[in-house]
PDB file of all heavy atoms in Angstrom:
ATOM      1  N   PRO A  21     -17.863   8.704  18.127  1.00 91.00           N
ATOM      2  CA  PRO A  21     -16.854   8.358  19.127  1.00 91.00           C
ATOM      3  C   PRO A  21     -17.247   7.194  20.029  1.00 91.00           C
ATOM      4  O   PRO A  21     -18.395   7.065  20.438  1.00 91.00           O
ATOM      5  CB  PRO A  21     -16.698   9.643  19.933  1.00 91.00           C
ATOM      6  CG  PRO A  21     -17.971  10.385  19.734  1.00 91.00           C
ATOM      7  CD  PRO A  21     -18.494   9.993  18.388  1.00 91.00           C
ATOM      8  N   ALA A  99       5.840   8.417  21.591  1.00 96.00           N
ATOM      9  CA  ALA A  99       5.678   8.565  20.137  1.00 96.00           C
ATOM     10  C   ALA A  99       5.231   9.985  19.777  1.00 96.00           C
ATOM     11  O   ALA A  99       5.738  10.581  18.823  1.00 96.00           O
ATOM     12  CB  ALA A  99       4.678   7.536  19.609  1.00 96.00           C
ATOM     13  N   ILE A 106       9.661   8.390  16.168  1.00 93.00           N
ATOM     14  CA  ILE A 106       9.225   7.096  16.699  1.00 93.00           C
ATOM     15  C   ILE A 106       7.811   6.821  16.188  1.00 93.00           C
ATOM     16  O   ILE A 106       6.883   7.581  16.468  1.00 93.00           O
ATOM     17  CB  ILE A 106       9.219   7.098  18.245  1.00 93.00           C
ATOM     18  CG1 ILE A 106      10.624   7.351  18.784  1.00 93.00           C
ATOM     19  CG2 ILE A 106       8.657   5.790  18.781  1.00 93.00           C
ATOM     20  CD1 ILE A 106      10.659   7.578  20.290  1.00 93.00           C
ATOM     21  N   CYS A 131      -3.395  18.235  21.332  1.00 94.00           N
ATOM     22  CA  CYS A 131      -4.738  17.784  20.953  1.00 94.00           C
ATOM     23  C   CYS A 131      -4.834  16.261  21.051  1.00 94.00           C
ATOM     24  O   CYS A 131      -5.776  15.724  21.638  1.00 94.00           O
ATOM     25  CB  CYS A 131      -5.064  18.221  19.523  1.00 94.00           C
ATOM     26  SG  CYS A 131      -5.000  19.995  19.235  1.00 94.00           S
TER      27      CYS A 131
END
Side-chain angles (χ1 to χ4, degrees):
I106 299 171
C131 301

